[in-house]
Amino acid sequence: MKHSLLLAVSFSLAIVLNAGAQSKGATKDLTDEFKREAETVLTENILPFWMEKVTDPAGGFYGTVMNDGTAVPQAPKSAVMNARVLWAFSRAYRQFGNESYRETADRAADYYIQHFIDREFGGSVWSVSAEGEVKDGTKQSYASAFGIYGLAEHYRATGSQASLDAAIALYRTLEEHSYDSVNGGYFETFTREWSKPVPRGRRPVATKTMNTQINMMKAYSPLYQVWPDKVLRKRITELMDLFRTKLYDVEGKHLLVNCDDEWNSLEEIHYYGHDIEAAWLLSETAGILKDRKLKKAIKQQVIDLTDEAIASGLTEEGAMKDEKTSRGIRERYSWWSQCETITGCINAWQITGDTKYFGTAWKNWGFVQTYFIDNETGGWYKTINKDCTPANEPKANEWHGPYHNSNMLFELLERL
């Protein structure tokens, strides 16, 4: 079954890349198929898995669900995973109008507001116990950003004023404690009381990361769509500028990953998935700001980031590798890197009109269908080993939520 699917994908890809004058018609046929498959995977695999296997009758969502769909009832619950559930089902309700999606989105919004937002010190705690009590009160800007992202989408889908108010409060807390008014961008980690943690060990600690800046931009943009505040717009523009200047290796055509306060890179890492994710998010953010000059200014960087990620990270089978460090390339494939590759390639195809990008997205989608999607138990495997077998990792945990895959599929439905 897997081999026949890959053969079909390769055959279809050959049509797109080699059909000459007929390539537009062939691409049109594949875009229709892409959309059908995207909706099917969303509505018959991802969303049902998270509603049926991850919803905790005691409140919120289980913190861990194993590969076979078995929940770990006493596992801690993370703010990031809850916010990702909130975003995915809010977006699903806005897309399809299914009331069961709204019920799940409302459940996620209520649980996030009641249990993850720190009423004493502000911001989002990192995790709570299975019973909903604070377990790790660390303030990661990343977690608060995803809270804003999910809550803003919930307001957009349902009109919940409580969600909008909570999103704005999180934004203001980040501006007060995390924003660097001297060097720009947002600091990474704080104690629960918003003090900077004391460094341990001899190695310098990254106080700013590319990943957090990506998610700040990702969160602030949809908040701006529903709450067009002037300072918020300024912060979004500043974040975009960071990706064009201080976080960009112009020669290597990739982003810096771990930095100190002044944006000095602490380690040479090439993170393929993040580079291609940042590329399409830059395009999307410029569109949200309705800034044509900015969109034109970032066009070449968007294509360069996409091209370099594909050239360095994509395998012959169409899979995107994780990262390259001084120790070499990590020999595994993560679900999220594949999803960002597909969205990034569709974005590059729409910008340039070059069908090679569509072909890359379609080929990667074939790899995802063959190895990541579990059509028996439901859901997606988090990691695939070098030999293309699923790694023994949970399908749901503090980092693995229904975000990257559902977001990619929503993007396909909208863009195609």
Side-chain angles (χ1 to χ4, degrees):
M1 179 66 178
K2 290 181 178 180
H3 292 295
S4 63
L5 177 57
L6 285 177
L7 284 172
V9 169
S10 298
F11 180 73
S12 300
L13 181 60
I15 293 175
V16 172
L17 298 180
N18 300 319
Q22 297 178 354
S23 63
K24 287 186 177 180
T27 304
K28 175 64 169 64
D29 290 341
L30 288 184
T31 59
D32 292 340
E33 179 63 21
F34 225 155
K35 287 175 68 176
R36 285 192 294 270
E37 292 179 4
E39 185 166 337
T40 298
V41 172
L42 261 174
T43 59
E44 297 182 13
N45 177 277
I46 297 173
L47 299 174
F49 175 82
W50 285 83
M51 286 191 294
E52 297 165 11
K53 303 289 187 180
V54 191
T55 299
D56 182 357
F61 305 89
Y62 292 118
T64 301
V65 175
M66 305 308 292
N67 263 352
D68 63 359
T70 302
V72 182
Q74 291 306 308
K77 299 174 178 180
S78 84
V80 172
M81 189 184 82
N82 194 104
R84 288 175 168 176
V85 174
L86 170 58
W87 183 90
F89 281 90
S90 297
R91 182 68 180 84
Y93 178 66
R94 186 161 64 84
Q95 179 79 31
F96 300 115
N98 185 317
E99 284 301 321
S100 64
Y101 299 159
R102 170 157 190 174
E103 290 173 8
T104 305
D106 289 348
R107 179 189 190 87
D110 291 344
Y111 199 86
Y112 189 93
I113 292 171
Q114 293 299 320
H115 295 277
F116 290 106
I117 292 180
D118 190 333
R119 298 183 183 281
E120 185 175 359
F121 299 104
S124 170
V125 300
W126 183 253
S127 67
V128 298
S129 67
E131 294 75 29
E133 301 298 323
V134 175
K135 183 174 179 64
D136 184 348
T138 301
K139 299 295 168 58
Q140 294 276 1
S141 297
Y142 185 105
S144 291
F146 246 102
I148 293 170
Y149 191 52
L151 290 163
E153 181 61 33
H154 187 247
Y155 171 77
R156 190 177 180 188
T158 69
S160 169
Q161 189 63 42
S163 288
L164 179 59
D165 291 345
I168 294 170
L170 284 173
Y171 156 74
R172 286 176 171 155
T173 301
L174 285 172
E175 290 300 304
E176 179 183 355
H177 296 290
S178 181
Y179 176 66
D180 183 353
S181 60
V182 177
N183 296 302
Y186 293 82
F187 292 111
E188 188 78 6
T189 307
F190 301 85
T191 66
R192 184 178 180 184
E193 298 81 9
W194 292 101
S195 298
K196 287 190 175 181
V198 178
R200 297 180 180 180
R202 297 180 179 179
R203 294 185 63 185
V205 176
T207 54
K208 295 176 181 175
T209 70
M210 170 260 287
N211 191 22
T212 287
Q213 312 312 313
I214 284 178
N215 285 281
M216 295 300 300
M217 183 172 69
K218 182 191 299 179
Y220 279 12
S221 298
L223 179 60
Y224 180 76
Q225 286 181 295
V226 297
W227 185 64
D229 179 77
K230 290 182 180 179
V231 176
L232 175 58
R233 182 186 177 93
K234 182 180 178 182
R235 294 292 182 263
I236 296 168
T237 305
E238 290 174 3
L239 283 164
M240 293 190 71
D241 189 57
L242 284 176
F243 283 103
R244 298 169 60 198
T245 56
K246 296 177 181 178
L247 275 172
Y248 190 44
D249 181 336
V250 178
E251 286 190 19
K253 296 180 180 179
H254 66 87
L255 298 175
L256 306 180
V257 176
N258 296 321
C259 300
D260 62 14
D261 288 10
E262 298 177 348
W263 302 106
N264 298 303
S265 178
L266 302 179
E267 184 179 2
E268 181 60 30
I269 303 176
H270 190 168
Y271 229 138
Y272 308 120
H274 279 143
D275 283 355
I276 204 165
E277 178 185 16
W280 75 261
L281 281 170
L282 284 168
S283 294
E284 180 181 73
T285 304
I288 289 172
L289 294 178
K290 295 181 172 59
D291 191 327
R292 292 183 179 181
K293 289 184 179 179
L294 186 56
K295 199 165 188 176
K296 184 177 180 180
I298 64 171
K299 178 180 177 180
Q300 190 58 53
Q301 183 187 10
V302 167
I303 299 304
D304 287 345
L305 282 168
T306 304
D307 284 346
E308 176 56 28
I310 292 171
S312 299
L314 205 69
T315 69
E316 291 183 2
E317 295 77 20
M320 181 59 77
K321 301 170 188 174
D322 271 6
E323 65 184 21
K324 180 181 180 181
T325 68
S326 58
R327 298 178 293 278
I329 295 177
R330 183 176 292 182
E331 298 292 347
R332 68 173 191 178
Y333 311 111
S334 294
W335 98 103
W336 70 269
S337 297
Q338 316 313 310
C339 298
E340 300 307 331
T341 297
I342 292 169
T343 307
C345 285
I346 293 297
N347 181 63
W349 168 58
Q350 292 177 319
I351 290 174
T352 66
D354 192 333
T355 56
K356 72 179 182 182
Y357 296 111
F358 184 93
T360 300
W362 179 251
K363 190 173 184 179
N364 185 273
W365 175 238
F367 186 86
V368 166
Q369 285 184 298
T370 304
Y371 297 111
F372 277 93
I373 301 174
D374 184 350
N375 289 311
E376 295 181 8
T377 307
W380 288 33
Y381 299 115
K382 183 174 183 285
T383 306
I384 298 298
N385 297 317
K386 184 180 179 182
D387 63 359
C388 291
T389 57
N392 185 24
E393 297 181 8
K395 281 184 181 168
N397 65 5
E398 64 177 345
W399 288 106
H400 193 196
Y403 167 65
H404 288 280
N405 48 11
S406 70
N407 184 59
M408 176 264 291
L409 297 171
F410 286 124
E411 287 291 329
L412 290 177
L413 292 176
E414 186 171 315
R415 289 169 179 266
L416 299 181

